[in-house]
Amino acid sequence: MTIHVWNYLDEYDDEREDILDAVQKVFASGRLIMGPSVEGFESEFAAYHGLDHCVGVDNGTNALVLALRALGVGPGDEVVTVSNTAAPTVIAIDQIGATPVFVDVRESDFLIDTDLLEEAITERTRCLLIVHLYGQCADMDTIMEIAERRGLPVLEDCAQAHGARQKGRLAGTFGKAAAFSFYPTKVLGAYGDGGAVATSDEETAEALRRLRYYGMEKQYYVVDTPGHNSRLDEVQAEILRRKLTRLDTYVDRRREIADRYAEALADTGIITPRTVEGNEHVYYVYVVRHPRRDEIISELKAHGISLNISYPWPVHTMTGFSKLGYEKGSLPVTERLAHEIFSLPMYPSLPEERQDLVIKALRDVLATS
């Protein structure tokens, strides 16, 4: 048996009856597209966050694309973000013809370095796209102060931060809008693709509803502003409704797993995740750090443990973004981290005995090298 960083099958065994009931409910409803399940999930997800609107879309990448468009960002504009993120964050900026401008991250928590944020803002900047990475929030007090002073909207990338809080406030409730992914691995994951944008701004919500549905508003086939076909699937929405009621339970279990790792690996030389003061981490992935990362991954693979790297290639170093002109060394912390970070198995249904095998294998490898 290979132990992976993520596996949904144990969770499915536990929740099979509810998941299949969700599918049956949709199939028997007579509404497969934009029906009561989408409407219900949107209402419930918005309410969970204390926001006025949630607009379901087909995936997290398009949640970012549509949110940027709804905020008025377009060709020729600049969007400030980080390179230490999943590529879709930056792909979304590129897809609307805007230019990503990267800020380095802090070595202690891998989140955007707010001391460097303001110097990245130019007269072309139209949005700050803030990534809540790995399960905890960036420094939103500082970010919102800069954004408000400079008159810039903040779009939160919450793909990895469902249920995370900062000073009691949920991720996604600070900026003008927040984009979420419900890809199956996420803290709140569907059984396929899915995404949403949450906001309390009425104008932004109305724009999002048009953009996800070809640009149509009042009448089918009448396009006001050309948009996309980016609707949340009715089946996935019903599954997400059921799983939303268990989100806090998922988060609690992730924290239990994280605590076990931290205690068991405290004396090994592996740097475990640091939770920023005021944050409540949800551990979407459990990212650790060690200078011999590649050797460790290789040796654990021989033990039947397949680890992951989030992320081995910073976006600014990828061939597809070479046009941006970032040279090696331009984001030194981001680049250094990419050679040392790796992810341990982390998902709510991870059995303790499998986690123990991972811990033992790590300790054995580090003790004998």
Side-chain angles (χ1 to χ4, degrees):
M1 177 189 68
T2 300
I3 299 175
H4 297 279
V5 293
W6 177 79
N7 186 324
Y8 76 93
L9 292 174
D10 290 320
E11 177 184 277
Y12 179 60
D13 283 344
D14 292 338
E15 301 182 359
R16 180 195 304 265
E17 184 174 339
D18 195 33
I19 298 302
L20 294 181
D21 182 69
V23 175
Q24 171 62 22
K25 178 179 177 179
V26 173
F27 285 178
S29 72
R31 289 289 300 277
L32 297 178
I33 302 292
M34 298 294 287
S37 292
V38 169
E39 293 175 4
F41 174 71
E42 289 176 335
S43 175
E44 292 154 14
F45 195 70
Y48 179 87
H49 289 86
L51 298 174
D52 294 334
H53 307 281
C54 169
V55 180
V57 298
D58 55 344
N59 57 65
T61 306
N62 281 336
L64 290 166
V65 170
L66 271 61
L68 287 167
R69 288 195 61 186
L71 294 174
V73 183
D77 294 336
E78 292 180 350
V79 177
V80 177
T81 191
V82 292
S83 179
N84 182 35
T85 183
T89 302
V90 184
I91 289 170
I93 299 170
D94 184 72
Q95 282 188 359
I96 63 169
T99 300
V101 175
F102 297 119
V103 176
D104 211 350
V105 297
R106 299 187 299 207
E107 192 138 10
S108 59
D109 54 32
F110 316 149
L111 299 164
I112 188 168
D113 189 338
T114 52
D115 291 340
L116 305 176
L117 176 57
E118 194 147 20
E119 66 186 59
I121 297 172
T122 73
E123 61 182 15
R124 292 175 55 199
T125 304
R126 294 293 177 269
C127 182
L128 307 182
L129 203 176
I130 304 301
V131 181
H132 300 313
L133 194 71
Y134 301 151
Q136 68 174 328
C137 297
D139 177 5
M140 295 309 295
D141 282 348
T142 303
I143 291 164
M144 293 309 299
E145 188 278 324
I146 293 172
E148 289 166 9
R149 178 160 41 83
R150 301 297 291 264
L152 295 169
V154 171
L155 171 59
E156 298 176 66
D157 184 343
C158 298
Q160 303 187 9
H162 309 83
R165 294 178 185 269
Q166 183 170 98
K167 298 180 180 178
R169 290 184 62 177
L170 280 163
T173 65
F174 295 89
K176 192 167 185 179
F180 293 83
S181 168
F182 304 120
Y183 185 74
T185 63
K186 303 302 184 185
V187 179
L188 179 62
Y191 276 68
D193 276 315
V197 183
T199 181
S200 280
D201 185 76
E202 180 73 32
E203 184 178 349
T204 301
E206 289 179 357
L208 286 162
R209 293 187 184 103
R210 289 193 300 271
L211 289 168
R212 73 165 174 192
Y213 197 61
Y214 307 110
M216 300 173 188
E217 184 175 13
K218 297 178 181 178
Q219 186 176 347
Y220 192 58
Y221 292 129
V222 177
V223 174
D224 296 310
T225 301
H228 306 253
N229 177 8
S230 298
R231 300 164 299 203
L232 177 61
D233 181 80
E234 189 77 356
V235 171
Q236 299 302 339
E238 185 60 34
I239 291 172
L240 287 167
R241 292 183 74 181
R242 312 295 181 92
K243 296 189 73 176
L244 179 60
T245 66
R246 299 187 283 271
L247 175 55
D248 292 341
T249 301
Y250 298 151
V251 169
D252 288 344
R253 175 59 183 147
R254 286 174 179 271
R255 289 176 178 147
E256 289 174 5
I257 295 169
D259 287 346
R260 293 187 83 236
Y261 276 135
E263 181 178 356
L265 300 174
D267 61 346
T268 63
I270 286 179
I271 300 173
T272 55
R274 171 181 176 266
T275 300
V276 179
E277 184 177 357
N279 275 355
E280 297 176 38
H281 208 311
V282 297
Y283 300 101
Y284 162 60
V285 282
Y286 193 83
V287 176
V288 299
R289 185 177 177 188
H290 197 282
R292 290 178 24 245
R293 186 267 312 279
D294 293 344
E295 177 186 340
I296 292 169
I297 289 177
S298 177
E299 294 202 31
L300 260 68
K301 188 174 183 179
H303 287 75
I305 300 168
S306 180
L307 303 182
N308 191 30
I309 305 172
S310 300
Y311 300 94
W313 300 286
V315 178
H316 73 282
T317 68
M318 296 180 181
T319 303
F321 293 101
S322 59
K323 62 184 178 181
L324 298 175
Y326 285 85
E327 297 181 355
K328 185 176 180 180
S330 57
L331 299 172
V333 178
T334 296
E335 293 170 28
R336 184 162 57 252
L337 291 174
H339 293 288
E340 298 183 357
I341 56 177
F342 60 107
S343 303
L344 305 184
M346 170 59 75
Y347 51 96
S349 57
L350 176 66
E352 286 191 359
E353 58 268 25
R354 287 186 211 166
Q355 186 182 15
D356 289 339
L357 289 173
V358 174
I359 291 168
K360 182 179 185 306
L362 274 171
R363 293 186 63 86
D364 288 349
V365 166
L366 291 168
T368 58
S369 56

